[in-house]
Amino acid sequence: MFFLLLCSAEVTLYLSCPCHLVTAVAATGIVWSRYSTVITPKNWNLFSVNVAMAGTGLYQLSRKLQHDYFSEEQVVVAKE
C-alpha cells in the first residue's frame, strides 16, 4: 500500500493497469473489506486497512484510465 502512495506523484505514463499491481490491489482490498464484515466477530482493523488499500488502488487506476482515455496530449511521432 505504501508503494501505491509513493507512486501517486509518478507520471501516469509508467503505470500499467490491466495486469499489474494496481488492479490486483483494488480488487483484493474490496474482497477482503467485504469478508472482514461477514465473519464473526467482525474485524474492523482488517476492514479499515483494506478500505484504504482499495481506495489507493482505485485512485491509481482512475489516474491511469484518465491519462489513457481522456488526456488532451498529442503523441509526437518522430519523422526520419
Side-chain angles (χ1 to χ4, degrees):
M1 187 169 102
F2 293 115
F3 173 73
L4 290 175
L5 289 174
L6 292 175
C7 287
S8 64
E10 186 177 328
V11 178
T12 56
L13 182 64
Y14 301 121
L15 291 174
S16 63
C17 59
C19 60
H20 195 296
L21 184 66
V22 173
T23 308
V25 166
T28 302
I30 292 169
V31 168
W32 283 101
S33 295
R34 171 73 178 131
Y35 175 74
S36 66
T37 59
V38 172
I39 60 174
T40 304
K42 294 185 181 357
N43 192 341
W44 296 109
N45 291 329
L46 180 66
F47 176 77
S48 62
V49 167
N50 283 300
V51 165
M53 189 167 69
T56 306
L58 291 173
Y59 171 69
Q60 294 291 353
L61 185 61
S62 69
R63 285 182 60 222
K64 179 62 177 170
L65 293 176
Q66 182 179 8
H67 178 267
D68 287 349
Y69 297 111
F70 303 110
S71 180
E72 296 294 328
E73 297 176 10
Q74 297 293 328
V75 176
V76 177
V77 178
K79 294 182 182 180
E80 293 184 26

